Amino acid sequence: MLLLSAATPAWAQKNKDKKKQQEQTDSSSDTKAMPPMNDTQAVDLAIGQSLGYWQIGDVESLHKYYADDVVVVTGDWAPPIIGWENYVKAYQVQRARVTGGRMDRNQHLH
């Protein structure tokens, strides 16, 4: 895992702190608000949700996790798939071929 960090200018940090404070104030007024997530939790949630949508074939919801100009490289030495519409076509062909298949996420920390 590669972690990069950079120093944040003081003015940017103050603005960031104000924004966080405002978000906490806004969420504290909502009794059903979830506690704030750190970056790792947010990424894990996004990956889990996208895999769930992939699993059930919900292309509209899956699109939230892919840019319109996405480039997907597969493991079968095929040329890259460029663009959301092309990815959807390839995904649907793959999904039609594989019945009962599922995609699992394995996490290896080093």
Side-chain angles (χ1 to χ4, degrees), residues 45-90:
L45 178 62
I47 290 171
Q49 288 174 340
S50 67
L51 287 176
Y53 294 134
W54 186 94
Q55 189 82 27
I56 64 173
D58 186 342
V59 174
E60 286 182 35
S61 295
L62 187 61
H63 192 190
K64 292 189 301 189
Y65 301 95
Y66 290 84
D68 289 334
D69 62 349
V70 65
V71 176
V72 178
V73 179
T74 64
D76 64 357
W77 299 97
I81 300 167
I82 301 172
W84 170 251
E85 293 302 322
N86 292 327
Y87 172 73
V88 168
K89 290 174 191 170

Side-chain angles (χ1 to χ4, degrees), residues 8-20:
T8 304
W11 62 267
Q13 186 62 43
K14 286 180 184 176
N15 287 341
K16 189 176 178 181
D17 291 343
K18 284 181 185 177
K19 186 176 179 181
K20 272 188 180 178

Side-chain angles (χ1 to χ4, degrees), residues 2-10 12-13 16 39:
L2 175 65
L3 296 175
L4 301 175
S5 65
T8 304
Q13 186 62 43
K16 189 176 178 181
D39 290 346

